């Protein structure tokens, strides 16, 4: 009876590893699990693991690790992670934008992936705290243009 359970477990482990390479959403979910656990350096390493060419931008990745490592002390604890936009160009390029609500402020996270023969590969990752100001400017613009408000 133990052998079939072990075999099923092994198959699940192997298949979950394969789907991780094929599924950008699984990569992003794991990234945020690491961020919530305050393992921010590991989160950056994990998200760039899908791209074997990331070593060519190692300086930028190290800077991302440093900056994201400051978030817990600057922004506080993560309370909510919300996907706010998915933008596709064809079938092989996707940009996903998230708002992560911390104790002190919202932070925008943007992931950009493209599909290769071996699965989805990250090509760009960024985060910033400009989202609150942009939302305010957008709301102001909509308030000044009632026709735009009606059409959205």
């Amino acid at each position: 009876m133990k052998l079939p359970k072990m075999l099923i477990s092994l198959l699940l482990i192997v298949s979950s590893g394969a789907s991780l390479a094929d599924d950008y959403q699984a990569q992003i979910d794991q990234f945020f699990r690491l961020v919530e656990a305050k393992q921010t350096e590991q989160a950056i390493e994990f998200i760039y693991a899908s791209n074997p060419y990331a070593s060519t931008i190692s300086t930028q990745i190290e800077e991302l690790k440093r900056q994201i490592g400051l978030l817990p002390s600057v922004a506080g604890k993560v309370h909510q992670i919300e996907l706010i936009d998915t933008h596709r160009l064809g079938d092989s390029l996707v940009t996903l934008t998230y708002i992560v609500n911390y104790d002190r402020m919202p932070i925008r996270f943007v992931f950009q992936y493209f599909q290769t023969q071996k699965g989805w590969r990250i090509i760009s990752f960024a985060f910033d705290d400009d989202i609150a100001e942009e939302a305010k400017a957008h709301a102001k613009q909509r308030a000044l243009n009632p026709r735009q408000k009606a059409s959205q």
Side-chain angles (χ1 to χ4, degrees):
M1 199 70 171
K2 284 187 179 182
L3 185 59
K5 284 184 184 179
M6 288 175 53
L7 182 59
I8 290 171
S9 297
L10 181 61
L11 288 174
L12 287 174
I13 291 169
V14 171
S15 67
S16 68
S19 69
L20 194 60
D22 295 335
D23 183 8
Y24 57 81
Q25 190 59 59
Q27 293 176 29
I28 292 170
D29 291 345
Q30 177 62 21
F31 170 86
F32 281 127
R33 280 191 286 277
L34 291 166
V35 167
E36 286 182 292
K38 296 182 181 178
Q39 297 177 334
T40 53
E41 187 170 315
Q42 294 89 335
I44 296 295
E45 289 171 1
F46 175 81
I47 205 71
Y48 276 102
S50 71
N51 190 333
Y53 303 101
S55 63
T56 63
I57 58 166
S58 60
T59 304
Q60 292 92 331
I61 291 174
E62 288 304 314
E63 181 60 18
L64 274 174
K65 287 180 188 178
R66 187 189 70 72
Q67 290 176 359
I68 202 169
L70 296 173
L71 279 179
S73 63
V74 172
K77 181 182 174 191
V78 173
H79 289 287
Q80 181 184 15
I81 298 168
E82 180 180 4
L83 175 65
I84 61 165
D85 187 50
T86 301
H87 181 76
R88 293 181 167 279
L89 280 173
D91 293 330
S92 61
L93 184 65
V94 63
T95 303
L96 299 105
T97 304
Y98 287 79
I99 296 298
V100 178
N101 290 322
Y102 285 81
D103 286 327
R104 297 181 191 105
M105 67 181 77
I107 303 290
R108 173 180 32 207
F109 286 76
V110 181
F111 303 84
Q112 191 172 52
Y113 282 86
F114 75 103
Q115 192 168 29
T116 69
Q117 292 177 344
K118 295 183 179 181
W120 290 92
R121 181 176 294 164
I122 193 156
I123 55 171
S124 175
F125 165 74
F127 64 96
D128 64 63
D129 63 353
D130 297 336
I131 191 68
E133 285 301 314
E134 290 176 20
K136 188 165 71 173
H138 180 71
K140 183 178 179 180
Q141 183 63 34
R142 286 187 57 189
L144 296 174
N145 188 348
R147 285 188 287 204
Q148 182 181 9
K149 187 188 291 186
S151 67
Q152 290 186 355

